[in-house]
Amino acid sequence: MAVFTSVSLEQLSGWITQFSLGQAQAIKGISSGIENSNFFIRTDSGEYVLTLFEKLRAEELPFYLHLMRHLAQHGVLVPEPIANRDGAIIHELNGKPASVVTKLEGAHQMAPQAPHCAAVGAMLAKMHLAARDFELSQPNLRGLPWWRETAPIVLPHLPADAQRLLLDEMAFQQAFAAGGLHAELLKNHFGPIHADLFRNNVMFDGDRLTGFFDFYFAGCDTWLFDLAVTVNDWCIDDGNGQLQETRVRAMLDAYHAVRPFSAAETQAWQTMLRAAALRFWLSRLYDFYLPRDAEMLTPHDPVHFERILRLRAAAPPPALY
């Protein structure tokens, strides 16, 4: 993610001695993203990712890091947090909470085709099932309560037509959240989710999926919302935001083969796609109009998800199954 807090090789060299990883050889900041300071590091024993948490406090990290460890130990392809010699996986560096995790092989697949979407769908379903017995719990911190807080902050920055869209969609989503269909999803189709599974949070080695990473927006929410977030990024025409049915079908069929969809999820599908678009429109609006300083930071264009929200509200998506 963007580098807000610098770490030198000299600082890393002293700090890394608490682990059984050998000496530090190199460190390089990772420029993409907007939440944490991330670095690729190399030691005598291999390559890892170092994260300094800019907003999360140490007491807020156990859910994320232990979820990653739980998933890794249940066959889901995710980075695994590295414990120091005392067994701790939450550390401190330059006054910030920190973690070291294994580095995934491969690279981002920024031009996905149907086989990539199928691989992501199958692994996402496997992740949802594997996390059902995870003992820790916390809400999706970018869910409806956050939308309610954030919408009034960004609203004055928007032109009139975008203000109307935001107010209308907030009313629609709040009404859905108060209804019986949402209650059914929360009761029977709910658990830890990634909540940010964009293309730049997945790695491929060729056509082989090597893992999901960046779980620091994870929380407990409906599995369908997690799938909707993923479809809204992986299965669209990048130029206009339209869903590409071949890729959508590949992802949904692969997911359904691992964890079959219910009738309630089928009914809620279009609403969840709208909710996923609203969530990222709001966060991008906030980051665009209330930016934070960073050494390397490129805010995302909020218009992209405004366009996607309009499209998802205007037309039914491909059916779940």
Side-chain angles (χ1 to χ4, degrees):
M1 310 256 83
V3 174
F4 298 86
T5 302
S6 298
V7 179
S8 68
L9 181 58
E10 181 181 6
Q11 291 171 322
L12 177 66
S13 295
W15 184 81
I16 206 72
T17 58
Q18 66 184 290
F19 302 88
S20 299
L21 299 176
Q23 295 183 342
Q25 297 178 359
I27 181 168
K28 179 182 179 182
I30 303 174
S31 62
S32 61
I34 57 175
E35 287 295 323
N36 300 313
S37 296
N38 276 4
F39 305 85
F40 291 130
I41 64 173
R42 189 173 71 250
T43 75
D44 294 339
S45 62
E47 293 184 297
Y48 303 90
V49 175
L50 165 67
T51 298
L52 273 61
F53 298 94
E54 300 294 341
K55 298 173 70 175
L56 294 170
R57 303 185 303 274
E59 57 268 28
E60 296 174 306
L61 290 174
F63 177 85
Y64 308 110
L65 294 176
H66 286 284
L67 175 61
M68 291 163 64
R69 173 173 277 189
H70 176 90
L71 293 172
Q73 294 174 352
H74 285 74
V76 182
L77 301 177
V78 302
E80 185 165 4
I82 304 296
N84 65 14
R85 292 190 182 90
D86 295 327
I89 60 174
I90 301 171
H91 319 288
E92 182 177 319
L93 177 59
N94 286 351
K96 301 291 175 65
S99 71
V100 177
V101 303
T102 54
K103 181 176 180 288
L104 299 174
E105 301 175 13
H108 306 310
Q109 176 49 262
M110 302 308 290
Q113 302 302 314
H116 305 111
C117 294
V120 171
M123 187 59 69
L124 184 61
K126 184 176 181 179
M127 188 198 87
H128 290 159
L129 294 177
R132 287 180 302 179
D133 61 349
F134 181 57
E135 295 182 352
L136 301 181
S137 178
Q138 76 169 26
N140 174 7
L141 299 179
R142 291 293 178 95
L144 183 59
W146 184 83
W147 305 351
R148 290 193 184 110
E149 293 175 5
T150 305
I153 297 172
V154 301
L155 194 67
H157 297 281
L158 304 182
D161 62 332
Q163 288 188 0
R164 286 193 297 272
L165 174 65
L166 179 53
L167 292 172
D168 289 348
E169 190 62 28
M170 284 295 300
F172 176 82
Q173 293 294 339
Q174 289 181 97
F176 175 78
L181 183 55
H182 189 243
E184 166 69 13
L185 297 181
L186 293 177
K187 180 180 179 181
N188 295 314
H189 311 289
F190 175 89
I193 67 169
H194 186 283
D196 191 32
L197 198 62
F198 282 40
R199 300 175 210 182
N200 60 351
N201 287 332
V202 179
M203 301 292 275
F204 278 86
D205 184 1
D207 289 337
R208 179 175 64 91
L209 192 155
T210 59
F212 297 167
F213 67 101
D214 197 356
F215 277 79
Y216 303 115
F217 282 112
C220 294
D221 206 329
T222 65
W223 294 325
L224 195 63
F225 177 78
D226 209 16
L227 181 61
V229 168
T230 309
V231 165
N232 271 345
D233 183 67
W234 283 83
C235 304
I236 64 168
D237 182 310
D238 292 333
N240 58 29
Q242 294 277 4
L243 290 171
Q244 299 298 289
E245 186 158 1
T246 300
R247 281 187 274 158
V248 175
R249 190 76 271 137
M251 183 173 287
L252 297 184
D253 288 352
Y255 185 103
H256 181 69
V258 178
R259 188 193 73 81
F261 297 115
S262 70
E265 289 178 306
T266 298
Q267 289 180 262
W269 180 224
Q270 184 175 8
T271 300
M272 284 294 109
L273 286 166
R274 291 171 62 170
L278 174 63
R279 177 264 187 260
F280 284 95
W281 185 34
L282 279 171
S283 63
R284 289 189 175 191
L285 285 169
Y286 187 90
D287 292 333
F288 187 82
Y289 289 112
L290 292 90
R292 289 171 290 149
D293 292 332
E295 291 183 16
M296 296 184 285
L297 179 59
T298 304
H300 296 294
D301 181 6
V303 173
H304 176 70
F305 273 104
E306 178 186 348
R307 183 184 304 118
I308 289 176
L309 176 56
R310 292 184 186 276
L311 289 168
R312 301 301 174 268
L320 283 182
Y321 63 95

